[in-house]
Amino acid sequence: QGGLVESGGGSVQAGGSLRLSCLDSDYTSERYAMAWFRQAPGKKREGIVCVDRDGDTVFADSVKGRFSISQDVPNHTLYLQMNSLKLDDTATYYCATDLRFWCGGGWSSERAYNYWGQGTQVTVSS
């Protein structure tokens, strides 16, 4: 379990958009809950969205209304569409999963996940 590979990071100006991808080479995404986290330098890792096996999502307030999530199940890929990017969105972004179907109340805690990708850097400039 846990062959997660993120891609799509880069540099973008404030107000712009990026789409991140998380390839799940172990094919867990269509069965288990998955999440995106981010970590800025000197800050704790922050859970920003979780999607469960039914496709239901829960977002952190910091990204609600700007970020969206989608899945390409046949290609085992989870996407994070990020719009209206702000300077504060600068961080390394990670996807994560664990062997459960639902996000649950603790979905935004990094301790709830045992499987992580290597991360992809997003830099937002003014």
Side-chain angles (χ1 to χ4, degrees), residues 4 10 30 45-46 57 68 73-74 85 91 107-108 114 117-120:
L4 302 176
E30 65 263 40
R45 193 166 293 191
E46 173 192 19
T57 55
S68 61
V73 174
L85 283 162
W107 71 268
S108 62
N114 286 315
Q118 82 290 347
T120 186

Side-chain angles (χ1 to χ4, degrees), residues 91-111:
T92 300
Y93 284 71
Y94 301 89
C95 61
T97 191
D98 207 295
L99 303 182
R100 66 181 188 275
F101 298 132
W102 316 111
C103 295
W107 71 268
S108 62
S109 170
E110 63 177 305
R111 290 175 293 183

Side-chain angles (χ1 to χ4, degrees), residues 38 63 66-67 84-91 93 122 124:
R38 66 185 181 185
V63 304
R66 300 188 298 121
F67 290 12
S84 302
L85 283 162
K86 305 175 181 180
L87 299 180
D88 287 348
D89 295 319
T90 295
Y93 284 71
V122 171
V124 184

Side-chain angles (χ1 to χ4, degrees), residues 29-52:
S29 61
E30 65 263 40
R31 294 177 292 157
Y32 298 119
M34 296 190 73
W36 283 97
F37 281 72
R38 66 185 181 185
Q39 188 167 22
K43 294 189 176 181
K44 291 176 56 178
R45 193 166 293 191
E46 173 192 19
I48 56 175
V49 60
C50 181
V51 56
D52 68 22

